[in-house]
Amino acid sequence: QAKDDGRNNYAFYQPEQSQFIEQWVRLEPELRRALALDQFRVFYQPQINAETGKISGVEALLRWQHPKEGLIPPGMFLPIVEEIGLMNQVGNWVLEQACAQAEKWKKSGYPNFRIAVNIAGQQILSHRLVDIVKELLEKYDIHPDQLELEIVENIVMKHADAAQPVLNELRNLGVRLALDDFGTGYSSLSYLKMLPVQKVKIDQSLVRDIPDDPNDEAIARAIIALSHSLNLSVCAEGVETEEQRKFLSGEHCDQLQGYLISKPIPANELNLWLDQQERQVEVR
Ligand code: C2E
Ligand code: MG
Ligand code: MG
Ligand code: MG
């Protein structure tokens, strides 16, 4: 029977695959200690305003700095974290790191800087998330509007009855909500208008083949138009080429995120990146 407890679908593999079992056996014992040994890192990837090119915020993305294997991407270890029941702990840690970093950026002259944090299905279904976010907003000097929680479309659709009230409560705290990986799953377009989300993120699989695939262009165009008609803003993920940037900004996509702008990088590198952007603006 299909196990369905709010797990996300990460890019690398599904727990059903044999590769997963091998990785699990190898990584699980160390993964259990990773938090205590301070081996997790949060990287930040800029999101820019498609029209002005100015940075509007960042997405926080988790990595595991493994002492021997180097930097391990989330797709390789988050499914294990979910399976061994540590997703809430790890997810809460990321949330706190992101809030602390947002406070630092606020103090260093970026008061409106927005930080997007990915929230796992298990966090939404845990009943603790609302209190945790509330506590973090009290602890750190940031405006609730600076925090954006990214929720994967599939989780919201599959667990609508449980997820909807949580999303409403989160929204009542003043944080922003974004629907991640949009266009890949069980999108019920009529359902979109019932959710308290402010943003839709077009999945990178739809962006990848622009401009070669006219179908993907049509889908991206339709998502942008639909979102705007529902008063939602749109961020395109996985923007890698100038052609993609041109197409998406031509279609009035609000924000762009992808390697074309910057890869996810540690906060100190992002500070240097910000300095550079500033200089470029001054030079012009
Ligand atoms: P996501 O939230 O959809 O994040 C976007 C992913 O696309 C990131 O992969 C990012 O590095 C990658 N990406 C960004 N721009 C480009 C591009 O131009 N080209 C390509 N090929 N890829 C690009 P990453 O960091 O490996 O994360 C994968 C997924 O893991 C995320 O997808 C998210 O679902 C999950 N994840 C990451 N951090 C967390 C976390 O703290 N909590 C939870 N629950 N999930 C997380
Ligand atoms: Mg995301
Ligand atoms: Mg995504
Ligand atoms: Mg994704």
Side-chain angles (χ1 to χ4, degrees), residues 149-202:
L149 305 182
E150 294 193 2
I151 294 120
V152 177
E153 182 194 9
N154 286 354
I155 302 292
V156 180
M157 297 298 163
K158 277 198 271 182
H159 301 273
D161 291 346
Q164 180 114 27
V166 178
L167 298 185
N168 287 332
E169 283 185 65
L170 289 169
R171 185 55 193 147
N172 288 339
L173 293 178
V175 301
R176 291 170 48 98
L177 300 174
L179 214 48
D180 205 353
D181 299 354
F182 192 79
T184 53
Y186 310 85
S187 333
S188 157
L189 297 182
S190 59
Y191 190 68
L192 195 54
K193 70 172 192 294
M194 291 160 53
L195 292 173
V197 299
Q198 288 72 56
K199 185 188 283 186
V200 160
K201 296 191 78 179
I202 304 179

Side-chain angles (χ1 to χ4, degrees), residues 79-98:
I80 306 174
V81 169
E82 293 193 333
E83 285 288 324
I84 62 181
L86 294 180
M87 193 61 237
N88 281 296
Q89 247 176 285
V90 173
N92 294 341
W93 181 86
V94 176
L95 261 173
E96 175 139 23
Q97 296 296 306

Side-chain angles (χ1 to χ4, degrees), residues 203-224:
D203 191 70
Q204 48 181 283
S205 64
L206 291 168
V207 174
R208 190 179 302 134
D209 294 328
I210 293 173
D212 301 323
D213 187 334
N215 290 329
D216 284 351
E217 284 196 354
I219 295 169
R221 188 181 288 127
I223 292 176
I224 295 168

Side-chain angles (χ1 to χ4, degrees), residues 19 34 48 52 60 65 83-84 88 98 135 145 167 185 203 224 230 239 250 253 279:
Q19 190 197 2
I48 61 163
T52 64
Q65 183 67 63
E83 285 288 324
I84 62 181
N88 281 296
E135 282 162 24
D145 191 59
L167 298 185
D203 191 70
I224 295 168
L230 294 173
V239 180
C253 185
R279 272 201 292 278

Side-chain angles (χ1 to χ4, degrees), residues 107-121:
K107 286 200 176 113
S108 67
Y110 295 94
N112 304 318
F113 218 59
R114 185 165 285 153
I115 298 205
V117 180
N118 293 284
I119 302 295

Side-chain angles (χ1 to χ4, degrees), residues 205-265:
S205 64
L206 291 168
V207 174
R208 190 179 302 134
D209 294 328
I210 293 173
D212 301 323
D213 187 334
N215 290 329
D216 284 351
E217 284 196 354
I219 295 169
R221 188 181 288 127
I223 292 176
I224 295 168
L226 170 87
S227 303
H228 285 167
S229 71
L230 294 173
N231 256 324
L232 304 173
S233 76
V234 187
C235 176
E237 299 190 307
V239 180
E240 293 185 355
T241 69
E242 194 54 40
E243 287 91 337
Q244 291 165 348
R245 189 193 65 75
K246 278 210 187 94
F247 172 83
L248 291 160
S249 47
E251 295 297 330
H252 306 292
C253 185
D254 302 281
Q255 291 180 334
L256 307 175
Q257 180 181 347
Y259 294 170
L260 179 68
I261 297 118
S262 167
K263 291 199 168 185
I265 46 180

